[in-house]
Amino acid sequence: MDRLSMFGLFAVTAMLVFYALEDRNRAFILAFAGACALGSAYGFLQGAWPFGVVEAIWAAVAVRRWRLKPRV
């Protein structure tokens, strides 16, 4: 497995973990957004620009959800 594939695996795994933990703390929503941004970078780096665009949109949606979620 090359470095780019390992980076992609890390990004997608982080997305899964942080998405599963979102209900526990709003910080995990922001972490999910960061993981989506990493996934977007991976998509663009490997040449799958549609994947990169969709992941960038997911990152923006997650940041918006983080901003709107009340602080406890």
Side-chain angles (χ1 to χ4, degrees), residues 14-40:
M15 286 170 51
L16 175 67
V17 170
F18 294 138
Y19 181 77
L21 296 173
E22 280 186 353
D23 290 338
R24 294 179 184 222
N25 190 311
R26 72 190 288 267
F28 288 118
I29 299 172
L30 189 58
F32 175 72
C36 287
L38 292 176
S40 176

Side-chain angles (χ1 to χ4, degrees), residues 1-7 9:
M1 183 179 289
D2 64 359
R3 282 195 255 176
L4 183 58
S5 295
M6 290 187 332
F7 174 69
L9 178 62

Side-chain angles (χ1 to χ4, degrees), residues 33-55:
C36 287
L38 292 176
S40 176
Y42 169 70
F44 285 117
L45 287 171
Q46 75 156 347
W49 65 266
F51 182 81
V53 170
V54 170
E55 288 301 323

